[in-house]
Amino acid sequence: MASATATDLEPPAQRAPQAASTSATTQFAPISIGTRNSTLAQIQARAVASALKKAHPDRTYNVCPVMVQGDRDKITPLQQLSQGENAKSLWTGELESMLETGDLDMIVHCLKDMPTQLPDNLELGAILDREDPRDALIISPRLPRDTTLATLPQGATIGTSSVRRAAQLRKLFPHLQYADLRGNVGTRLGKLDAEDSKYSAIILAAAGLKRMGLDSRISQYLSSSAGGMLHAVGQGALAIEIRKNDPTMKDLLDKIQCERSTRACSAERALLRALEGGCSVPIGVETSWRGGKGLAVGTTPARDYDKHGNAVEEPEPDLEDQELVMKTLVVSVDGKESVEHEAVRKVRSTAEAEEMGREVAKILIENGAAKILEKIKVEKQWAAKKQLEELKATS
């Protein structure tokens, strides 16, 4: 059973879930918020609890960490642990079972880890204001601090567990080497920093590093205009999963959801669903808002400054007057084949955003993405079978 953290949103103290059916300070039952057991996941869950506490101060929120399958096995490659879209259940399965039985009231996910198809009795309750969704390059302390992807030495090894990242890098930087690297953020940084490390650099999500206060380790932010990298679908966004037909949870979440992030991420997830790609398939996206402050590519410079050199705050244009810009890429694992497309459209609802995502997927398929993805699927099946046979032979 998960342990619970009482959320008055001071430094958390671990304790068992309350046995009482209602909060000690209100007439309402405490809200149990499920999350993975990692440090980053708990930071994210506490951020959600803090937002809920601010919006609904009359409620009590307990953060309940759970050790999930994908965190228990850090040795077996993801391609062997699961295939395609099902790989994402490695991070959500146990939590969803507890949500279904009522042990949890909601689950906090990194949206990029959520399957595009949820169990029939569960639904996506809210997407919060998106943190920086870009990938980030972290350089070994043995290399100059200003090293970038373009200046890494010939044959340097980059650590990543992401097929998407490795495939894009092979396309852009075929002279570099790539090695599998799993574990939580701290584990990966430790492997990079070790004196005998084989890694010259690793790539992690900028959002996680920022949430953990580790953004000082970032040597280069990666985007379409810097490093040529597109991020994962939903990367940087926190999503809340709830039971269907649960009006209480829907009402609680309504005050903390972000419409801009919801529309952009919904377009990305519709694209992924139409392409039938899982978290270990090399599909990259980058969404931003034209006419606004931007969404996916970092801070936009101010248009004007006062006499003291301080940026002049400008009101955000109405969302309905902005256009969603969506860049997409499907690339083969070896980086030798790829299909790209960019679309721009006004999306005035989640439904219109999803329609945009499906239409972009159709264009990608017509331009050759289906053949790339089918080849990847076959290659993954053979690779997983070979790895399993090798494990059996050595056991």
Side-chain angles (χ1 to χ4, degrees):
M1 180 66 183
S3 61
T5 301
T7 310
D8 290 324
L9 309 178
E10 308 214 347
Q14 295 291 329
R15 62 181 177 81
Q18 296 184 22
S21 60
T22 59
S23 168
T25 57
T26 75
Q27 72 273 31
F28 300 113
I31 304 299
S32 296
I33 303 174
T35 179
R36 289 166 60 185
N37 196 43
S38 71
T39 300
L40 175 58
Q42 293 189 58
I43 288 172
Q44 293 171 165
R46 290 199 297 271
V48 171
S50 179
L52 285 167
K53 189 71 174 178
K54 183 177 180 180
H56 305 279
D58 56 338
R59 305 297 295 253
T60 298
Y61 306 91
N62 295 332
V63 174
C64 305
V66 176
M67 181 67 76
V68 299
Q69 182 183 357
D71 290 326
R72 286 194 296 269
D73 185 347
K74 293 185 172 63
I75 299 175
T76 308
L78 292 179
Q79 292 93 326
Q80 182 181 321
L81 276 174
S82 186
Q83 293 292 314
E85 180 69 10
N86 291 332
K88 294 196 175 184
S89 66
L90 297 171
W91 319 112
T92 63
E94 286 95 337
L95 288 162
E96 288 179 333
S97 294
M98 294 177 68
L99 182 60
E100 289 174 323
T101 59
D103 290 326
L104 298 172
D105 295 303
M106 61 178 69
I107 307 169
V108 178
H109 296 287
C110 287
L111 185 59
K112 73 180 181 66
D113 293 330
M114 285 190 73
T116 56
Q117 299 289 349
L118 302 181
D120 291 340
N121 57 337
L122 303 178
E123 66 180 353
L124 185 54
I127 296 174
L128 278 59
D129 189 16
R130 195 176 199 174
E131 178 56 273
D132 190 332
R134 292 175 294 181
D135 284 323
L137 182 73
I138 298 90
I139 295 296
S140 165
R142 297 174 296 279
L143 292 174
R145 184 67 175 82
D146 59 354
T147 301
T148 66
L149 278 176
T151 61
L152 278 168
Q154 177 85 20
T157 297
I158 297 179
T160 176
S161 63
S162 166
V163 176
R164 172 190 58 81
R165 289 170 179 155
Q168 291 189 65
L169 289 167
R170 289 189 182 101
K171 175 179 182 290
L172 297 164
F173 304 98
H175 63 284
L176 300 178
Q177 302 295 317
Y178 307 96
D180 189 63
L181 177 65
R182 291 188 61 193
N184 60 36
V185 172
T187 297
R188 297 189 198 195
L189 289 173
K191 290 180 178 179
L192 172 68
D193 295 344
E195 290 187 8
D196 60 348
S197 176
K198 65 181 179 181
Y199 306 107
S200 297
I202 62 176
I203 295 181
L204 299 172
L209 292 165
K210 289 186 173 184
R211 288 173 179 140
M212 295 183 73
L214 294 171
D215 44 313
S216 62
R217 289 296 309 266
I218 297 174
S219 299
Q220 182 183 17
Y221 288 94
L222 305 175
S223 66
S224 60
S225 59
M229 297 276 292
L230 302 188
H231 58 73
V233 166
Q235 187 161 300
L238 296 182
I240 316 298
E241 188 174 9
I242 60 175
R243 289 180 292 274
K244 282 185 178 176
N245 304 316
D246 190 338
T248 299
M249 294 305 110
K250 287 183 178 180
D251 289 345
L252 288 175
L253 294 173
D254 184 59
K255 288 188 177 181
I256 66 170
Q257 72 91 31
C258 173
E259 187 63 22
R260 294 174 78 245
S261 299
T262 298
R263 293 185 193 181
C265 290
S266 295
E268 295 175 14
R269 283 172 63 79
L271 167 86
L272 183 62
R273 188 183 301 115
L275 291 174
E276 298 181 346
C279 61
S280 54
V281 171
I283 298 171
V285 298
E286 185 178 272
T287 47
S288 59
W289 290 95
R290 181 178 293 172
K293 294 181 180 178
L295 176 67
V297 291
T299 303
T300 301
R303 292 191 182 94
D304 197 12
Y305 296 85
D306 62 23
K307 63 181 181 180
H308 303 294
N310 299 316
V312 176
E313 287 290 331
E314 299 177 16
E316 175 73 6
D318 191 282
L319 184 59
E320 310 308 320
D321 296 328
Q322 300 177 43
E323 294 178 311
L324 183 63
V325 182
M326 188 176 191
K327 298 180 181 181
T328 56
L329 170 70
V330 178
V331 59
S332 62
V333 174
D334 60 12
K336 294 180 179 179
E337 300 176 81
S338 63
V339 178
E340 302 177 53
H341 184 70
E342 179 175 338
V344 182
R345 181 184 301 183
K346 283 189 176 182
V347 290
R348 295 180 175 85
S349 66
T350 298
E352 288 187 9
E354 291 176 343
E355 181 183 0
M356 179 182 182
R358 288 191 294 269
E359 291 186 6
V360 171
K362 183 179 178 181
I363 293 170
L364 290 169
I365 290 171
E366 290 173 349
N367 291 341
K371 293 180 180 178
I372 294 175
L373 294 174
E374 181 59 31
K375 182 180 178 182
I376 291 171
K377 180 180 178 181
V378 172
E379 289 174 346
K380 285 172 60 182
Q381 290 172 340
W382 278 106
K385 181 180 179 181
K386 182 179 179 181
Q387 290 170 340
L388 187 59
E389 290 174 347
E390 290 174 350
L391 283 175
K392 289 180 178 179
T394 58
S395 62

